[in-house]
Each structure stands twice: as structure tokens, then as C-alpha cells.
């Protein structure tokens, strides 16, 4: 099962480059990893304790599959987006691990990212169908956006949207990274404004834009995953700068004057051990980190607790175990 999961995660990249990276690119990846490890050795670890995120099955036969992404709301509820068939795709859990509600059965092909917007609404992306859904906190569908522009058929169910972010003016920014290499902007009511980006390694080009955030100043942060960098833009898509020292980043989450990265060494297979890294948004310098495995989606709760999914493997069948990183005062 583990080999199957890893193979499926690598398939989109094999389609782009079936022969794998060139010796020159591989050497660059290994150099970046060595430099990142050197930076981390000089950086204090964040004072957070790690434990598995507890979910109590609500009934017999209920079971989650791989949790692709995780988010939370201002009330401390945690929203999991999972890919198993024995539970609804969206699962909402309280601090005690009790499932308080769930929804979404039959709506998804490959659930990918889940986010809560400033108004408390819940948004999800599908990596295969090109559908973005907006829900009320109790699971009522409020809007859907069909991003479109995907190849048909969708090979291996990875060809579409990866993440969504919310700008200060209420606009939506969506990363579309598996078959395309673009960022799309929509109004709050789902009307498309513009798109930008193209395949490549230069400024404003992408190789799998996998996660996105927009800060209070309108700066757009994009995890350009397979290029091993975070690119920064204004809201019109003008390139501002990049951070190219933090490895293969899967997930981003703003926290006050910082941004957290869910990342791993660029030269290793997906879901290899890596880190959650806290970066100063103004300087791009590292502020702290914790070691992590099974990195993909992440979130920061209102009290500073970190959430990470799918998490490390806890034995077959391989689905990962989401993790929670708490401050000592939370115990």
C-alpha cells in the first residue's frame, strides 16, 4: 500500500519529466538541502510538543482515509479533508476528538485543500474535477466555481486545483498546479477577473504551484513546489521576490507577521521527513521550526497550535496520522 501511495503522488511529476531530474538539477537539489539543514542547525526549535490528532469514530465501520489537508475556525473546531470511502470527505472535529458534523459524500474525485475564510465559511479544492466549493460552517453549499481548463481525461486524478486564499478586498486566489501552472483571481461572488503564470523556472513561472496565501498588504505567496521556492507577487501578478532556500514546500499558512511552511528536502520523495518552518514575512528569514513527517496541508489555530496532515505513517495501511503541535501552556 505504501508503494502504491508514493507512486500515485509521484505520477504527476513523472508525466512532466519521465526521465527524472537531470544530473545538474539533482546536484542543485542536494545543494539546497545541505544549505537548508545548515540553516536549521543554527536555528532554535519552536517550543511545541507534538502528538497525534485524536479523532473518535462516531459509529462502527467509520474510518478516514488519507487526510489531504487540515484547517480550523475561530471556535477551535478542526476541519479535515479526507480521501477515504468510509467517511464523508469533510470531517469536523472538536477539541476532544468528537466528530460534530461531516458532509460532501459524492462531491469529490480527489479532495485536496480545505480553508476557512475570515467570515467562517469553508472552502475546498478538488485536484481532479477543477471544482472549488464554498460551504457554510454547517456544510450547506453556498457556491461552486468550475475552474475548467483541465486536460481530459485527467490522468491519475491529479490535474487540477491545489489551494485557495482570501485577499483583503474579498477576492479569491486559486492555485491551479497539477496540469497547469497558473494563479486565478475571482471576485467574492465567483466571477473570474484574471489569471497569470506559466510553466518554467523563471520569475512568475511555476512547476506545481501547490499552496497559496494572501496577506493584509495584498502580497500573494505561492509555494512553487517542484521549483523548491516561495514566490511573492502583488495582486496583479507582478513578481516581487522569491525565497529559494526552504526546500519543497507543500503548504503555507500566515500567522501575524510570519508565514509557516510545510516543507521537506527537495531531493527526496514526497512525504519524506521534513519540517514546519516559521519565516519572517518581511525579511524571509527563519524564525523557528519543528521536525515533521508526512507534510502536505497545514494550519495555525487561533491559540498558536499547529495542525499538519496527512502526518507520519503509523503502519499499514498507509494513510498517515494528522499531527498537532501545542505550546507548553496548552497542556
Amino acid at each position: 500500500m505504501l508503494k502504491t501511495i508514493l507512486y500515485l503522488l509521484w505520477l504527476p511529476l513523472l508525466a512532466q519529466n519521465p526521465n527524472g531530474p537531470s544530473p545538474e538539477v539533482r546536484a542543485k537539489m542536494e545543494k539546497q538541502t545541505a544549505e537548508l539543514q545548515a540553516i536549521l542547525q543554527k536555528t532554535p526549535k519552536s517550543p511545541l510538543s507534538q502528538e497525534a490528532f485524536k479523532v473518535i469514530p462516531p459509529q462502527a465501520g467509520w474510518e478516514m482515509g488519507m487526510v489531504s489537508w487540515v484547517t480550523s475556525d475561530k471556535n477551535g473546531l478542526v476541519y479535515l479533508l479526507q480521501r477515504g470511502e468510509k467517511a464523508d470527505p469533510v470531517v469536523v472535529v472538536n477539541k476532544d476528538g468528537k466528530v460534530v458534523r461531516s458532509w460532501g459524500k459524492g462531491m469529490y474525485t480527489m479532495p485536496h485543500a480545505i480553508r476557512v475564510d475570515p467570515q467562517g465559511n469553508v472552502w475546498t479544492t478538488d485536484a481532479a474535477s477543477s471544482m472549488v466549493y464554498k460551504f457554510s460552517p454547517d456544510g450547506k453549499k453556498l457556491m461552486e466555481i468550475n475552474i475548467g481548463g483541465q486536460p481530459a481525461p485527467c490522468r491519475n486524478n491529479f490535474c487540477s486545483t491545489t489551494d485557495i486564499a482570501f485577499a483583503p478586498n474579498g477576492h479569491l486566489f486559486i492555485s491551479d498546479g497539477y496540469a497547469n501552472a497558473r494563479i486565478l483571481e475571482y471576485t467574492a461572488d465567483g466571477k473570474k477577473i484574471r489569471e497569470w503564470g506559466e510553466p518554467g523556472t523563471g520569475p512568475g513561472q511555476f512547476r506545481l504551484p501547490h499552496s497559496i496565501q494572501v496577506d493584509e498588504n495584498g502580497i500573494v505567496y505561492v509555494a512553487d513546489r517542484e521549483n523548491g521556492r516561495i514566490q511573492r507577487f502583488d495582486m496583479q501578478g507582478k513578481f516581487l521576490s522569491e525565497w529559494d532556500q526552504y526546500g519543497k514546500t507543500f503548504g503555507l499558512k500566515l500567522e501575524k507577521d510570519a508565514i509557516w511552511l510545510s516543507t521537506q528536502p527537495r531531493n527526496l520523495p514526497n512525504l519524506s521527513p521534513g519540517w514546519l518552518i516559521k519565516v519572517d514575512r518581511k525579511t524571509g528569514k527563519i524564525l523557528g521550526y519543528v521536525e515533521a513527517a508526512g507534510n502536505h496541508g497545514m494550519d495555525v489555530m487561533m491559540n498558536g497550535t499547529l495542525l499538519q496532515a496527512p502526518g507520519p505513517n503509523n503502519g499499514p495501511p498507509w494513510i498517515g496520522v494528522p499531527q498537532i503541535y501545542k505550546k507548553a501552556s496548552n497542556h
Side-chain angles (χ1 to χ4, degrees):
M1 185 68 175
L2 174 56
K3 290 182 179 179
T4 301
I5 293 291
L6 291 175
Y7 177 67
L8 289 173
L9 288 168
W10 274 99
L11 276 174
L13 304 182
L14 292 173
Q16 295 173 10
N17 187 0
N19 297 319
S22 67
E24 292 80 10
V25 171
R26 183 166 295 279
K28 184 177 179 180
M29 290 179 177
E30 293 173 352
K31 181 174 183 291
Q32 183 193 52
T33 297
E35 291 174 348
L36 175 54
Q37 290 172 335
I39 293 172
L40 293 174
Q41 287 177 358
K42 300 176 183 179
T43 303
K45 288 186 178 180
S46 297
L48 300 170
S49 61
Q50 177 184 0
E51 61 186 62
F53 184 78
K54 178 175 64 174
V55 180
I56 302 171
Q59 69 261 346
W62 186 95
E63 182 182 0
M64 291 195 303
M66 176 183 176
V67 177
S68 177
W69 213 276
V70 61
T71 191
S72 60
D73 65 17
K74 63 181 181 180
N75 299 315
L77 293 177
V78 174
Y79 295 73
L80 306 168
L81 188 64
Q82 66 89 34
R83 297 176 180 171
E85 298 180 355
K86 297 181 180 180
D88 287 334
V90 179
V91 179
V92 188
V93 183
N94 68 13
K95 63 181 179 62
D96 299 317
K98 179 182 178 181
V99 176
V100 298
R101 55 184 171 270
S102 64
W103 68 82
K105 184 75 83 172
M107 295 181 67
Y108 298 87
T109 304
M110 187 59 70
H112 197 266
I114 186 167
R115 299 282 192 176
V116 174
D117 69 19
Q119 292 73 44
N121 300 302
V122 182
W123 296 77
T124 65
T125 68
D126 191 310
S129 70
S130 87
M131 298 302 299
V132 174
Y133 295 116
K134 176 185 180 181
F135 301 96
S136 66
D138 60 359
K140 179 183 178 181
K141 189 175 76 170
L142 302 177
M143 185 168 63
E144 63 180 49
I145 303 173
N146 188 341
I147 301 301
Q150 312 302 328
C154 177
R155 295 182 59 192
N156 312 310
N157 287 331
F158 284 99
C159 65
S160 187
T161 53
T162 51
D163 197 9
I164 184 167
F166 316 105
N169 63 358
H171 286 191
L172 312 170
F173 282 76
I174 298 167
S175 52
D176 180 17
Y178 278 108
N180 296 308
R182 60 180 178 167
I183 306 300
L184 303 104
E185 180 184 358
Y186 288 79
T187 61
D189 58 356
K191 296 178 181 177
K192 184 178 176 181
I193 298 176
R194 64 170 61 89
E195 66 175 77
W196 40 272
E198 62 183 11
T201 60
Q205 298 178 330
F206 303 105
R207 291 182 63 236
L208 215 174
H210 196 267
S211 188
I212 188 167
Q213 291 278 268
V214 184
D215 71 16
E216 72 280 2
N217 300 311
I219 297 176
V220 182
Y221 302 78
V222 180
D224 185 10
R225 195 182 90 181
E226 297 307 312
N227 278 328
R229 61 184 177 178
I230 311 300
Q231 295 196 67
R232 300 167 72 247
F233 305 89
D234 68 15
M235 288 176 54
Q236 288 71 49
K238 178 183 177 182
F239 175 81
L240 300 176
S241 65
E242 70 177 26
W243 304 329
D244 62 359
Q245 66 269 49
Y246 294 127
K248 184 193 295 186
T249 300
F250 289 76
L252 300 173
K253 177 62 180 182
L254 293 167
E255 186 198 22
K256 299 178 181 177
D257 294 330
I259 186 168
W260 282 89
L261 285 54
S262 177
T263 192
Q264 67 161 73
R266 189 178 167 205
N267 60 318
L268 297 180
N270 293 352
L271 302 179
S272 294
W275 314 271
L276 304 180
I277 296 177
K278 187 176 185 179
V279 175
D280 185 296
R281 288 198 269 130
K282 292 182 179 179
T283 66
K285 303 297 184 182
I286 187 170
L287 298 174
Y289 76 99
V290 294
E291 294 176 346
N295 291 345
H296 197 250
M298 72 162 299
D299 193 49
V300 184
M301 300 181 73
M302 296 289 289
N303 62 2
T305 294
L306 306 183
L307 301 168
Q308 176 238 358
N313 176 24
N314 197 31
W318 196 95
I319 57 172
V321 180
Q323 300 292 295
I324 185 167
Y325 297 80
K326 295 182 178 180
K327 295 180 180 179
S329 59
N330 290 341
H331 287 289

